[in-house]
Amino acid sequence: MLRSVTLPRGLNPVSAGRREAFVPRHGVIPVLSEQAESQGDMQRRIQELLLLAEFNAAIGTLHDPNQVCTAACSWLEEVLRWEVLSISCTEGDAGQFRYQVLYLDDHLSKICPDLAVGVNPSTSRSGKRDMGWSEFGHNVISVCFPDRSGVIAVSRKSVQESQFSDELLAGIAETLSRCLSNAREYSRLKTLSMHDHLTGLYNRRVFEAMLEVEARKRTSKPFSLLLIDLDNFKTINDTYGHGTGDEVLVYVAEMLRLNFRKSDIPARYGGDEFGVLLPETSLDSAQRIAERFRGNVSGRRSLFGARNIVPTVSVGIAVVSDRANLEVAQMVEEADRALYRAKAPGKNRVCTALVTGQNG
């Protein structure tokens, strides 16, 4: 006995006993296509979020802005295959580009041979005419950081070939901006902890650590320590006020920067006292350098708070000729004794002492 079978709507049997393909009604295929496309977008978005997390992990623990930008450039080129042309950053309220961490002239020259690399139109390292990003924007994608502290510029072609979304590029810029901000703040706090707030020189703690490193070097070459005292500083403070006294201290610090070598390490040792570490410097050389500095300090005429003050300094030198068993405290003590001898007969003088670790 035959039974009647109700077929699903849309199913069209051609012959008895043969299974036919399901033919959906009009409008079902577009819906399935939209669902598949939506699912594909979701998978892509998840992939890009995971990439952003990986990017943040690659640069988020770095504390130096230069290292952050270098690591970011490497990651973007290795993982996303993006050609990074420049990462430019600003600091402060001036709006000027303080440093170009990456200035890849060779990359940009492949795209626009006649143009110089640069985001700031006033700067050009290569010496070529800098026309700014806007004149070759069709080849370059430049994205400003959300806080307007910098710009990342990448090759448009490399971004398009990677087929990642604009949201990923914006996320990269936001992540880079945040990590750079954290690194700059870390660097600022580190600088504050290492430097004297008034003069900008190294503070005593850092200076003594550097003395310790120098004393432990395996070399037979001598080195010298200068302790420098600003003569009559209490009188300057009492007579003209602490503001003028601070101006004089800043002046001496600037003279230290101008009169010593790049290899020498000046520091504010405390109060009106400064120290200078002179690597690989003999007794005669140290004395000659100290005398020149002493003469330049008193010989330069400068106004301090509209007052014509002629500051002078006394200098005590400790020269280390043998580092064996040398203690930093011993070296500082000898330099301090030499400084006392320089101030005793009338100040504005230089006195020396020879230190050997074996004698300590």
Side-chain angles (χ1 to χ4, degrees):
M1 180 178 179
L2 295 176
R3 291 183 300 174
S4 63
V5 179
T6 303
L7 297 175
R9 297 179 62 182
L11 185 61
N12 182 22
V14 176
S15 60
R18 189 174 69 184
R19 181 175 296 177
E20 294 297 323
F22 178 73
V23 181
R25 298 177 60 192
H26 177 70
V28 176
I29 290 180
V31 171
L32 293 176
S33 177
E34 289 175 3
Q35 291 176 348
E37 183 178 350
S38 176
Q39 185 177 7
D41 289 343
M42 183 178 298
Q43 290 177 347
R44 185 195 66 183
R45 182 58 179 158
I46 292 174
Q47 179 193 11
E48 292 184 353
L49 288 174
L50 291 175
L51 286 171
L52 279 177
E54 183 182 337
F55 180 62
N56 182 74
I59 67 174
T61 58
L62 301 176
H63 295 149
D64 179 77
N66 292 309
Q67 293 179 358
V68 170
C69 288
T70 302
C73 181
S74 299
W75 189 92
L76 293 172
E77 292 185 342
E78 293 172 5
V79 178
L80 303 186
R81 304 300 182 188
W82 288 358
E83 188 176 16
V84 181
L85 301 174
S86 178
I87 299 176
S88 307
C89 302
T90 63
E91 290 184 4
D93 300 326
Q96 298 296 321
F97 283 82
R98 288 287 187 88
Y99 57 86
Q100 285 280 16
V101 179
L102 299 172
Y103 235 136
L104 307 182
D105 290 342
D106 56 333
H107 284 272
L108 190 59
S109 63
K110 298 174 184 176
I111 300 174
C112 300
D114 297 331
L115 299 177
V117 178
V119 176
N120 182 1
S122 65
T123 60
S124 175
R125 195 190 73 168
S126 64
K128 302 176 183 178
R129 186 164 58 97
D130 191 345
M131 300 172 66
W133 288 113
S134 60
E135 299 198 24
F136 47 88
H138 59 287
N139 287 320
V140 174
I141 298 177
S142 56
V143 182
C144 287
F145 297 162
D147 59 359
R148 314 298 294 179
S149 64
V151 175
I152 178 173
V154 295
S155 162
R156 183 181 298 274
K157 180 181 178 182
S158 66
V159 173
Q160 291 174 342
E161 289 177 348
S162 70
Q163 298 184 349
F164 289 112
S165 67
D166 293 342
E167 286 79 5
L168 178 62
L169 181 57
I172 290 292
E174 182 179 359
T175 301
L176 181 57
S177 172
R178 183 179 65 254
C179 292
L180 277 172
S181 177
N182 292 339
R184 283 196 295 266
E185 180 64 12
Y186 178 88
S187 297
R188 186 185 71 84
L189 294 176
K190 183 179 179 181
T191 298
L192 288 176
S193 69
M194 295 176 62
H195 292 78
D196 172 60
H197 72 282
L198 177 64
T199 63
L201 298 175
Y202 284 120
N203 58 33
R204 178 171 179 167
R205 177 179 60 84
V206 175
F207 184 66
E208 289 185 341
M210 292 181 173
L211 284 176
E212 192 73 43
V213 171
E214 182 66 33
R216 298 294 171 259
K217 286 183 179 179
R218 296 178 177 273
T219 177
S220 60
K221 295 181 179 179
F223 72 97
S224 299
L225 166 65
L226 274 60
L227 287 185
I228 302 167
D229 190 80
L230 181 56
D231 298 330
N232 305 313
F233 183 66
K234 185 178 184 302
T235 302
I236 294 174
N237 272 336
D238 293 344
T239 304
Y240 303 108
H242 290 279
T244 300
D246 286 348
E247 290 184 35
V248 176
L249 289 172
V250 171
Y251 163 75
V252 174
E254 184 61 25
M255 293 298 290
L256 285 169
R257 295 187 183 96
L258 292 175
N259 285 269
F260 286 87
R261 305 164 298 184
K262 290 184 178 181
S263 58
D264 301 331
I265 303 173
R268 186 179 180 188
Y269 203 67
D272 58 351
E273 196 168 15
F274 299 85
V276 185
L277 170 61
L278 281 66
E280 299 184 10
T281 305
S282 64
L283 175 62
D284 292 340
S285 297
Q287 190 166 11
R288 184 172 61 253
I289 293 171
E291 285 288 2
R292 182 184 63 196
F293 170 73
R294 183 196 59 78
N296 288 342
V297 168
S298 60
R300 180 176 172 180
R301 294 293 181 265
S302 298
L303 290 177
F304 302 96
R307 299 175 177 87
N308 189 14
I309 301 172
V310 182
T312 62
V313 294
S314 300
V315 184
I317 305 175
V319 180
V320 177
S321 59
D322 188 348
R323 303 170 192 246
N325 303 318
L326 177 67
E327 296 293 335
V328 169
Q330 173 194 357
M331 178 174 48
V332 172
E333 183 179 355
E334 290 298 332
D336 199 47
R337 288 176 180 172
L339 176 61
Y340 180 80
R341 293 198 303 271
K343 295 182 74 71
K347 306 176 183 179
N348 195 22
R349 297 174 65 247
V350 175
C351 289
T352 62
L354 188 63
V355 183
T356 59
Q358 292 177 340
N359 293 338

